[in-house]
Amino acid sequence: MSLLDEVGTYLAAQGIGTLGTNLFLGFAPDAPDQVTVLYEAGGQAPIRAMGQAAGSPVAQRPRLQVVCRDTQYEYATARSKAKSVYAILDGLCSRGDITMSGTRYMWLSAVSEPSLMGRDDAGRVLIVCNYDAIKDPS
C-alpha cells in the first residue's frame, strides 16, 4: 500500500471520515463541500544502509499534507476537523512504532499547527497541515 492508503485507512478507522465519501486520497472532488483530502507532499531522502541495493532503502521519509475543506462560512468547522486529524497524527509514534495496513511507522509528526491555506475557486475555506513520517518501505 502507499502512504495515502495507509494513513487514509487509519484515519477512517479513527472516525475522521469515510473513504470515497468525505475522505479522499490524492484529489478533491467538487462535491461535497465538506471533505478531508490527503496528498503526498514530497519528503526527505530515504534512509539507506551500507550494502543495500540501489532503490532498496531501509526506511522512507515521506511528507503527507492534509487539507480540510468546508463552505466559505464554515472556517471554524474546517479548522476543527483539521485539529481532530492533528490530535490523531501528531506524535502518533512517540510511545513506540505503530502499524498501519501492515506497514510499520516509526515516526509521524506535524510540521506545524493547522493553518489557513486559502480558499478554492468556489470560495470554500481550506485548512492545511503537513506531517513528516519515517516508515518501512511500502
Side-chain angles (χ1 to χ4, degrees):
M1 294 185 94
S2 72
L3 168 75
L4 297 184
D5 293 319
E6 292 157 2
V7 177
T9 300
Y10 184 80
L11 288 174
Q14 301 302 310
I16 289 300
T18 302
L19 285 167
T21 300
N22 59 359
L23 177 60
F24 295 93
L25 309 178
F27 77 100
D30 291 335
D33 289 328
Q34 189 177 63
V35 296
T36 300
V37 186
L38 310 183
Y39 296 101
E40 292 174 299
Q44 298 178 25
I47 298 170
R48 304 190 185 287
M50 297 286 286
Q52 287 292 111
S56 300
V58 173
Q60 296 172 322
R61 298 187 298 174
R63 180 169 283 178
L64 170 73
Q65 183 176 76
V66 179
V67 178
C68 297
R69 180 182 80 193
D70 211 320
T71 63
Q72 62 182 342
Y73 302 111
E74 293 297 330
Y75 175 89
T77 306
R79 181 152 175 71
S80 178
K81 178 63 79 167
K83 286 297 280 186
S84 294
V85 173
Y86 180 88
I88 293 168
L89 295 182
D90 182 49
L92 181 63
C93 305
S94 62
R95 291 189 208 138
D97 299 350
I98 120 166
T99 300
M100 292 187 211
S101 301
T103 300
R104 181 176 63 128
Y105 280 73
M106 289 80 72
W107 183 255
L108 194 56
S109 178
V111 175
S112 66
E113 294 279 331
S115 60
L116 178 64
M117 179 176 169
R119 296 186 181 269
D120 68 7
D121 292 340
R124 297 174 291 200
V125 67
L126 304 169
I127 305 293
V128 64
C129 191
N130 293 320
Y131 300 85
D132 283 337
I134 300 175
K135 65 189 232 26
D136 284 342
S138 63

